[in-house]
Amino acid sequence: LEMGDLIDDATFLTLDSTVASLSDWGGQHLFISYLFTRCPMHNMCPALVVKNQYLASELKNENIHFAVISFDYLYDTPSVMQDYYGILNEQYSNMTFLSSVGHLDDLNLLTRQSGMHFSGVHENNIGHSMRSVLISPEGRLLAAFDGMEWMAGEAIQRIRNFLVMAH
């Protein structure tokens, strides 16, 4: 999709196995990131979690929610993700970790619309692009943060600019 286009709603599982839709955070901007728990590259998925923690902490009083979605729809069950991220999920009221187990169609739709790519889940040889996206309260794609090089401080400024424009 192009910037400004609408993202379709999608559902995933929270860490307590409740079904959650992206629209559940309607009225808020949504910052979506993708990862998988078994990522062996410390500068990729684990670093993305740290960036999201920082963003969630710095923007805790803003109209934004952080959704971190695992694209490992075979291994990353809610209980596996609870083991990895449960403490963070409780610590940050504006950040939610989501499992895609049982929600492959929604995962494929959302990743395709947000320009994120992954492969090799069935072969246990996972490859993926690094992309986080900012979605407006109306569900419009506003911004993309690609690769591993984007800095959290710069992202905060970009996000705040969108938050100000929304008022």
Side-chain angles (χ1 to χ4, degrees):
L1 295 180
E2 300 295 321
M3 293 301 151
D5 286 352
L6 282 171
I7 294 272
D8 287 316
D9 199 11
T11 61
F12 300 98
L13 295 175
T14 63
L15 301 191
D16 65 3
S17 297
T18 303
V19 174
S21 298
L22 298 180
S23 59
D24 291 347
W25 294 284
Q28 290 185 298
H29 284 76
L30 194 58
F31 189 88
I32 301 172
S33 298
Y34 303 96
L35 54 65
F36 71 113
T37 61
R38 299 180 291 166
C39 182
M41 305 293 291
H42 295 296
N43 65 333
M44 291 183 79
C45 297
L48 186 68
V49 171
V50 172
K51 285 181 180 180
N52 272 274
Q53 281 178 261
Y54 181 74
L55 295 174
S57 175
E58 291 295 309
L59 297 169
K60 66 179 172 267
N61 298 319
E62 305 284 343
N63 189 34
I64 185 167
H65 196 85
F66 297 85
V68 184
I69 303 170
S70 172
F71 56 82
D72 188 344
Y73 54 87
L74 294 178
Y75 181 82
D76 285 344
T77 63
S79 62
V80 166
M81 293 191 66
Q82 174 67 34
D83 290 344
Y84 277 83
Y85 308 119
I87 291 171
L88 296 177
N89 209 60
E90 293 169 19
Q91 185 177 0
Y92 296 93
S93 61
N94 61 342
M95 184 164 61
T96 304
F97 288 85
L98 298 167
S99 168
S100 60
V101 169
H103 293 264
L104 182 57
D105 289 344
D106 289 89
L107 176 67
N108 284 332
L109 177 67
L110 183 62
T111 56
R112 188 171 56 253
Q113 288 184 345
S114 60
M116 186 275 186
H117 306 284
F118 68 94
S119 63
V121 173
H122 277 283
E123 299 80 16
N124 195 23
N125 184 24
I126 294 175
H128 65 95
S129 62
M130 296 293 292
R131 176 171 255 214
S132 296
V133 293
L134 180 65
I135 310 291
S136 75
E138 302 79 33
R140 294 196 182 280
L141 184 60
L142 295 178
F145 301 83
D146 289 310
M148 298 170 290
E149 294 78 32
W150 61 270
M151 303 301 291
E154 293 171 12
I156 287 171
Q157 192 55 54
R158 283 182 67 195
I159 291 167
R160 280 196 171 129
N161 287 342
F162 282 107
L163 296 173
V164 167
M165 290 184 341
H167 286 293

